[in-house]
């Protein structure tokens, strides 16, 4: 499954940022604010694949 990065919403909550894909609103990735720049750099470089959200959701449901 391939995610469109334009369909990902990020919301700043106190000390972290919640990242949610619009097609999977029940799967939330929490990124500490201190790591936000490194996280976005990893996503842009391809080192972090947003498909991990789907795999994590499937593992937690099983």
């Amino acid at each position: 499954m391939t995610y469109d990065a334009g369909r990902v919403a990020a919301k700043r909550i106190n000390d972290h940022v919640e990242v949610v894909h619009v097609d999977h609103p029940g799967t939330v990735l929490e990124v500490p604010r201190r790591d936000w720049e490194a996280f976005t750099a990893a996503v842009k470089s391809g080192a972090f694949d947003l498909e991990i959200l789907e795999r994590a959701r499937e593992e937690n449901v099983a």
Side-chain angles (χ1 to χ4, degrees):
M1 176 177 299
T2 301
Y3 288 121
D4 177 3
R7 297 178 53 89
V8 174
K11 183 188 329 179
R12 185 173 58 182
I13 309 287
N14 297 326
D15 63 343
H16 69 278
V17 177
E18 293 183 350
V19 180
V20 181
H21 193 277
V22 296
D23 292 339
H24 302 282
T27 304
V28 178
L29 176 65
E30 293 183 7
V31 179
R33 285 179 61 189
R34 68 179 181 276
D35 298 333
W36 182 248
E37 287 185 40
F39 172 76
T40 55
V43 171
K44 289 177 184 177
S45 73
F48 181 87
D49 188 352
L50 291 174
E51 290 183 12
I52 197 167
L53 294 175
E54 176 65 15
R55 288 191 299 272
R57 185 185 66 82
E58 289 173 355
E59 289 173 3
N60 288 327
V61 169

